[in-house]
Amino acid sequence: MLNKKIMILLSSIILLLLSAFAIMFYFNNDQKPKTLQASQYPSPPAETPIEKVTTEIIHDESKWTTNNTHDAEIIKVDDWYYTFSTDYKVAGTPLPGIQIRKSKDMINWTFVGRVFDNVTAEAKIWTNGGSTYWAPDVVEINGIFYLYYSVSELGTRNSYIGLATSTSIEGPWDNQGSVIKTKEGDTFTVNAIDPGIIIDKDGRSWMAYGSYFGGIFITELDKATGKLKNTDEEGTLIAQRQNNDYAIEGPAIMYNPDTDMYYLTVSYGWLEDTYNVRVARSESIQGPYLDYNGKNMIDISDGSFDTGTKLVSSYAFNNDSGWLGTGHNGLLQEGDDYYLTHNARVGEDLYWSHLHVREIIWTEDGWPVVSPERYAGKMKKPIESIKTENIVGQWEQIVLSRIDDSKATSTTLHLYENGKIDDENGEDYWELKGDSLKLYWYEPGGAPNDYWIDTVTVLPQWDWENWQPTLVFTGLSQDGTAVWGKQLPLEDKE
């Protein structure tokens, strides 16, 4: 009899233990995602986390890496990536020259030097003493490098775009004089700064340029000289804001042969805080350029706040002060891979300006979006597909409002194993097909078919804020709002 009671007691204890283990197993699986293999994530970009503010390097250009970068344009030559940028220095006076840096991986950058020691006499006289070069762009045509630069009298249309050429990307450079000059009171409306050069699908050269004054124009270049094909014309207006109270500048254009479309990027906002990058596309390089919602980039009827599909703007994930002034972008196409560069100022000290490089991901309907994390290299072993078990868990989400350009912060998002969002019994839910994740947000009577839908792409990236591998998502909401996400936490798994 005693043995029977002991057996029943032992059986009860075993059942209780098994139940406890089952509950723990379910809880842990519900809270933590099953990660990919380590080789399927990018490697750490450095041995230890990279500090955003490092005062000891202020006067040592050899250690600047991404620091003190502004208005950088990017080009690949042989096995090197190069950026040319406006001279900038924390707690110092900018020098006249154009900064050059190079990198093998777009992560670790070496300072090469500067183009020119002083502004040319012609440009200085035209701009009433302009002392520095702004916003360069460089392109290679038939073995010759064409470097376009700006000089301007701040706050006026007394501006000058010039050209220098070289047979070597690192120089020396020969100045070729002006490409276009504008002056207060002339017959032009454009402001001659911020050149962005693009070779179209037919091999013709074009320059997009301009700023607050009159907006962004595009004009054809003479490939033999690199200068304007029609010297007395400013070109075609392709983007503008309502007036000079609303910033627009820094144009760049890329062509995607898969969509047979041209994509215009411009920056809105003020460079120290609200700077943000917008995109629109066109079947013709001369426009019209329409955003995700079909709005023409020259349409100022609504004040142009909601014109242009936002790609990146000031933001902060948890455990980090975030980044401000995320604008003035450059574009790079390398085979099937596309990248966007832009300025970024440190959240806790906006005088520190860094270079950011981000992967561009294309939506199913042919729109570019960018990774919420900076580029940290390619994964060593490509993934075949993201699985549902990889998605389950806690995420941070950032929504980049089309209207509000102030710093966007993250909120917590929980994706449950049963397909629900935040509430296991709620109406919001998610679906995964391949690497495409759809988030369904229930709003009966307000949304089409009662649900707003965010469509995002999931991919492995390096988490710069928490210094670990992670999964991220990036995409657009139903109304063309950029949506970012980052998964937390992650287990170590080989």
Side-chain angles (χ1 to χ4, degrees), residues 16 65 134 200 208 221 226 311 336 355 431 441 482:
L16 287 171
T65 61
W134 292 354
D200 71 15
L221 301 175
L311 287 175
D336 293 331
L355 169 69
E431 290 181 339
W441 306 101

Side-chain angles (χ1 to χ4, degrees), residues 118-424:
N118 291 288
V119 170
T120 65
E122 181 187 26
K124 185 181 288 284
I125 292 170
W126 184 265
T127 58
N128 299 323
S131 59
T132 59
Y133 294 103
W134 292 354
D137 194 14
V138 61
V139 63
E140 182 182 6
I141 301 175
N142 298 327
I144 303 294
F145 294 97
Y146 293 79
L147 172 63
Y148 295 80
Y149 57 83
S150 314
V151 183
S152 183
E153 181 182 6
L154 185 65
T156 75
R157 288 183 56 254
N158 300 327
S159 302
Y160 179 108
I161 291 178
L163 171 66
T165 58
S166 176
T167 56
S168 169
I169 190 64
E170 295 187 17
W173 295 89
D174 296 320
N175 187 50
Q176 304 296 337
S178 69
V179 175
I180 185 171
K181 299 181 287 186
T182 58
K183 204 78 168 176
E184 295 287 358
D186 65 16
T187 58
F188 290 160
T189 55
V190 70
N191 187 26
I193 66 169
D194 293 1
I197 312 304
I198 172 70
I199 310 299
D200 71 15
K201 63 181 179 180
D202 299 317
R204 297 159 67 189
S205 298
W206 300 80
M207 181 176 73
Y209 69 115
S211 71
Y212 292 66
F213 302 90
I216 306 300
F217 287 73
I218 189 167
T219 187
E220 189 171 0
L221 301 175
D222 182 338
K223 288 189 71 172
T225 64
K227 297 188 177 183
L228 296 192
K229 189 172 183 179
N230 300 305
T231 57
D232 58 345
E233 297 180 7
E234 61 187 352
T236 303
L237 177 67
I238 55 175
Q240 64 179 339
R241 301 292 300 280
Q242 191 172 52
N243 55 50
N244 283 358
D245 292 331
Y246 308 106
I248 183 171
E249 56 190 17
I253 298 176
M254 63 181 169
Y255 173 72
N256 185 337
D258 293 330
T259 62
D260 194 23
M261 302 281 277
Y262 294 94
Y263 294 82
L264 167 69
T265 55
V266 296
S267 289
Y268 286 7
W270 176 239
L271 56 86
E272 288 186 349
D273 44 42
T274 59
Y275 232 10
N276 65 96
V277 180
R278 308 271 178 146
V279 67
R281 68 184 185 183
S282 174
E283 295 178 353
S284 167
I285 196 165
Q286 293 179 278
Y289 284 90
L290 308 181
D291 68 10
Y292 182 88
N293 293 308
K295 290 188 176 181
N296 193 321
M297 290 296 285
I298 65 172
D299 182 0
I300 57 174
S301 58
D302 66 350
S304 67
F305 285 106
D306 193 18
T307 303
T309 302
K310 187 180 287 186
L311 287 175
V312 60
S313 65
S314 300
Y315 71 95
F317 280 110
N318 289 339
N319 304 324
D320 192 78
S321 65
W323 297 93
L324 304 171
T326 53
H328 204 118
N329 74 283
L331 298 167
L332 173 67
Q333 180 181 358
E334 187 178 5
D336 293 331
D337 297 323
Y338 295 79
Y339 302 93
L340 180 140
T341 65
H342 62 84
N343 307 342
R345 293 179 180 245
V346 177
E348 67 265 31
D349 188 342
L350 58 80
Y351 294 105
W352 286 81
S353 181
H354 285 257
L355 169 69
H356 279 198
V357 180
R358 297 178 190 272
E359 289 184 69
I360 293 176
I361 293 88
W362 295 91
T363 66
E364 292 181 358
D365 51 356
W367 284 96
V369 292
V370 299
S371 171
E373 289 290 342
R374 286 170 281 164
Y375 181 71
K378 295 291 186 183
M379 64 194 90
K380 296 184 290 291
K381 178 183 176 183
I383 57 174
E384 293 182 1
S385 65
I386 301 292
K387 297 180 173 58
T388 298
E389 63 189 20
N390 307 132
I391 297 296
V392 173
Q394 296 279 352
W395 293 72
E396 291 181 70
Q397 178 179 254
I398 289 178
V399 177
L400 301 178
S401 168
R402 302 190 319 276
I403 308 298
D404 184 358
D405 293 334
S406 61
K407 184 168 71 174
T409 56
S410 63
T411 57
T412 302
L413 198 67
H414 193 142
L415 303 185
Y416 283 95
E417 190 174 13
N418 67 354
K420 298 294 186 177
I421 301 175
D422 289 337
D423 182 352
E424 286 185 285

